[in-house]
Amino acid sequence: MARNTSKQEKINSVFNERKEPVICIVHPNENAYSETFIHAHIERLPARVIVLHRSSPPLQDMSILKQFLWDNQVEAVLAEYAPVGVGLLDVCEEAGLPLIVHTHGGDTQINDVLERMGTRFLELFEKAAAVIAPTIFIQKQLLEMGAPEGKVIVNPYGVNTSLFCDANPATSPPLFLAVSRLVDLKAPPLSILAFKKVIERHPDARLIVVGTGPLLETCKQITRALKLSTYIDFVGIKTPTEVAEIMRTARAFIQHSMTKSDGECEALGVVFVEAGASGLPVVATRSGGIPEVVIDGETGFLVEEADIDAMADCMVRLVEDPELASQLGKAARERICINFSIEKSIENLWQIIEKSIQENTEQQLFKRLELRHINLVVFVDWSQPEDLLLPKIESLIIKIASLPNPLNKTLLLDTRNITEEAANLVLSSVIMKIFLEQNLEGMEKLVIAPLGELSEKEWSVLGNKIRGCILLDENQENNSLPTNIPILTLEDLDKI
């Protein structure tokens, strides 16, 4: 049936209106300088991001948190680290919101964490909308723990390739760079021991250590004991911009990551991605997810954990052959730009979040409105007198209930301009009259649901499920209808 042009000009205010989506990111550490991947999520996702951390007031009471999420019209919750996801599982389920869990390695590796979480991890894997792993290595661990295969998605961390760039190992002095938290996982003392062997053969080499942590004093004492104080410079915490500047002056990046006795190992290591993006070769260990970033012999060198002799030999090769360092660095830069850019990582993450929101909206809407194969929206002028309104609604319901197979139809009445109580009174009156006066078997099978106020996201989902719109009054001009959905008359209903 052809559309009425005057009505068509009034389209879009309901179905096509879009607002900026709202998501809530919850993470445990308010000011963790090393968690650049979380900062990237907060700063770069194309949404209004509400950030909560361990000490945020809403997190102190789950009932308050649920209301907080509703009041702020949050559409999805992103939990950074699996234990955070476990803590949010119940409230997200009660609030009807999708929970996306971003694992980062240690949160699903450390033995005491696994013991403490117990079966809650399995519940998390079952109920979360998506579980994100930064590497294939972590994905395999999650699958071994019982996560459903289709729910665990690999999305590597990304870096700003415009910031981390322009290193020139071929012309740089034999300066090695180590950037990390100074903790057991990164094993900085072993990097220092390997560097000691390099100094024995090339006393012009230097090492800059960026970062701090519980092993800082230990590293400084080892440096003094090995008489390396003039060769190693501990410069503390640096901003990403400052780290990028230092990388431009270096010959190579080093880190001797180790698997800890509690099971924790490297998930990926953003700093390896930053070094590669800068154009630096990396000398590291075959630990955790590192081999997914550093390709041995192509973008750097990988050695076995605890093999400081092999690490030293690789470092010496880069001291003695600047062109080799340059060749590896260029290959690293190319690989990172293709596979690990921040734009690609954020785009992939946002697609996961958007899909979760879409699927959750659809599930909630289907459940609330009892949507079926054929869904019809009825736009009603509720301002007219009841003696005019009720017969029109009655005729429509009788027509729909008389059609074949009423079980596959849902009638949705637009009640945005009337209270739910008033709409239910009208419907009850009409339906009662039909039951008393008509013998229609289809009436018991037909679903009639008040539409009420819907969010833009809900209208978007609903628009794809509507077979047609019905205007009870020919002169209705105040309803905005989707352009791709036909306006039907009662006669048209025989054809659906």
Side-chain angles (χ1 to χ4, degrees):
M1 178 181 175
R3 283 181 174 271
N4 183 306
T5 304
S6 63
K7 293 185 179 70
Q8 205 164 348
E9 292 173 351
K10 296 180 178 296
I11 286 167
N12 298 330
S13 73
V14 174
F15 284 84
N16 298 330
E17 186 178 337
R18 291 291 182 271
K19 288 184 180 178
E20 186 179 31
V22 182
I23 67 168
C24 181
I25 294 180
V26 184
H27 65 106
N29 308 310
E30 182 178 5
N31 296 310
Y33 73 90
S34 62
E35 293 178 337
T36 55
F37 41 87
I38 294 179
H39 297 310
H41 298 167
I42 294 170
E43 295 167 3
R44 290 177 174 266
L45 281 170
R48 183 166 77 87
V49 177
I50 298 172
V51 182
L52 300 177
H53 48 80
R54 194 191 311 273
S55 59
S56 297
L59 287 180
Q60 311 313 308
D61 186 321
M62 290 298 107
S63 62
I64 293 176
L65 176 60
K66 181 173 70 173
Q67 192 62 48
F68 175 86
L69 296 172
W70 283 343
D71 291 345
N72 285 277
Q73 299 182 335
V74 170
E75 297 178 53
V77 176
L78 174 61
E80 304 282 3
Y81 297 101
V84 174
V86 169
L88 296 170
L89 189 58
D90 294 338
V91 72
C92 285
E93 187 173 20
E94 291 177 15
L97 295 175
L99 173 64
I100 299 97
V101 181
H102 204 311
T103 64
H104 297 291
D107 53 332
T108 55
Q109 294 173 336
I110 301 174
N111 294 333
D112 68 336
V113 174
L114 298 178
E115 292 173 5
R116 185 162 23 95
M117 291 295 121
T119 58
R120 289 290 278 171
F121 268 164
L122 293 177
E123 186 180 357
L124 177 67
F125 296 150
E126 177 188 350
K127 295 183 177 180
V131 180
I132 302 171
T135 57
I136 296 173
F137 174 80
I138 298 299
Q139 181 191 42
K140 290 179 178 177
Q141 289 188 328
L142 293 171
L143 294 177
E144 290 171 359
M145 292 168 60
E149 187 170 354
K151 193 170 283 188
V152 183
I153 305 165
V154 176
N155 184 38
Y157 303 132
V159 300
N160 184 348
T161 55
S162 298
L163 173 62
F164 291 94
C165 59
D166 296 336
N168 191 351
T171 60
S172 296
L175 171 65
F176 293 95
L177 176 62
V179 182
S180 73
R181 291 176 294 122
L182 303 182
V183 295
D184 292 334
L185 179 68
K186 315 297 182 179
L190 297 187
S191 294
I192 293 173
L193 292 177
F195 179 70
K196 166 65 174 175
K197 294 179 177 294
V198 175
I199 287 295
E200 291 170 356
R201 296 157 68 177
H202 292 280
D204 57 335
R206 296 292 183 272
L207 171 62
I208 293 178
V209 178
V210 177
T212 189
L215 293 183
L216 175 60
E217 189 58 34
T218 299
C219 289
K220 288 182 175 180
Q221 290 177 1
I222 292 174
T223 298
R224 287 175 56 195
L226 296 177
K227 297 181 172 53
L228 295 176
S229 297
T230 58
Y231 302 96
I232 301 178
D233 190 8
F234 294 91
V235 298
I237 297 173
K238 297 293 181 182
T239 66
T241 300
E242 291 170 330
V243 171
E245 286 289 344
I246 299 172
M247 285 185 172
R248 293 187 187 102
T249 68
R251 176 73 58 86
F253 180 87
I254 66 168
Q255 184 167 298
H256 200 101
S257 300
M258 294 282 291
T259 301
K260 293 168 56 181
S261 58
D262 63 7
E264 184 181 10
C265 60
E266 284 283 4
L268 183 147
V270 175
V271 72
F272 300 115
V273 183
E274 293 172 343
S278 296
L280 290 179
V282 173
V283 181
T285 54
R286 292 186 181 87
S287 182
I290 296 175
E292 295 180 41
V293 181
V294 182
I295 308 303
D296 187 33
E298 294 182 22
T299 67
F301 297 116
L302 296 176
V303 302
E304 299 303 324
E305 291 186 7
D307 192 345
I308 60 174
D309 290 329
M311 184 176 191
D313 289 341
C314 293
M315 294 167 67
V316 167
R317 286 185 65 185
L318 298 177
V319 172
E320 295 176 348
D321 193 343
E323 287 302 324
L324 173 61
S326 179
Q327 176 186 332
L328 295 172
K330 288 177 181 177
R333 166 81 182 170
E334 182 178 355
R335 173 172 167 75
I336 297 304
C337 288
I338 293 173
N339 299 295
F340 297 92
S341 71
I342 189 63
E343 292 81 8
K344 182 175 182 178
S345 180
I346 293 297
E347 180 183 358
N348 290 343
L349 176 58
W350 183 240
Q351 287 177 356
I352 295 168
I353 295 172
E354 266 199 318
K355 182 181 178 183
S356 299
I357 293 173
Q358 184 80 5
E359 291 178 349
N360 181 71
T361 302
E362 190 168 305
Q363 290 169 5
Q364 298 290 334
L365 207 56
F366 268 59
K367 182 179 178 180
R368 189 166 86 238
L369 299 179
E370 297 186 61
L371 297 182
R372 295 178 173 181
H373 179 63
I374 296 176
N375 304 291
L376 304 168
V377 175
V378 182
F379 288 92
V380 182
D381 179 7
W382 296 99
S383 64
Q384 61 189 296
E386 283 194 8
D387 60 336
L388 296 178
L389 174 63
L390 270 60
K392 295 175 184 177
I393 296 177
E394 179 182 350
S395 297
L396 174 63
I397 292 176
I398 292 174
K399 178 67 176 180
I400 299 292
S402 302
L403 294 174
N405 196 9
L407 271 175
N408 71 348
K409 299 176 183 66
T410 293
L411 200 60
L412 303 170
L413 267 66
D414 175 30
T415 56
R416 287 171 296 148
N417 297 321
I418 189 174
T419 66
E420 184 175 343
E421 181 181 7
N424 285 333
L425 284 173
V426 171
L427 284 174
S428 298
S429 175
V430 171
I431 292 172
M432 182 62 68
K433 185 174 185 295
I434 294 173
F435 271 119
L436 292 174
E437 298 178 357
Q438 306 286 334
N439 184 22
L440 288 174
E441 294 182 5
M443 275 301 299
E444 296 181 1
K445 301 173 183 178
L446 180 65
V447 172
I448 305 173
L451 204 50
E453 290 290 344
L454 299 181
S455 69
E456 289 77 10
K457 186 69 66 175
E458 288 173 324
W459 274 116
S460 175
V461 170
L462 186 60
N464 296 324
K465 305 297 179 183
I466 295 174
R467 179 66 64 88
C469 299
I470 301 170
L471 297 179
L472 280 190
D473 296 274
E474 282 296 323
N475 296 323
Q476 279 181 262
E477 298 288 351
N478 61 341
N479 295 302
S480 300
L481 311 175
T483 55
N484 63 328
I485 298 175
I487 300 174
L488 305 176
T489 65
L490 293 183
E491 291 73 23
D492 294 323
L493 297 178
D494 293 320
K495 304 172 186 176
I496 65 173

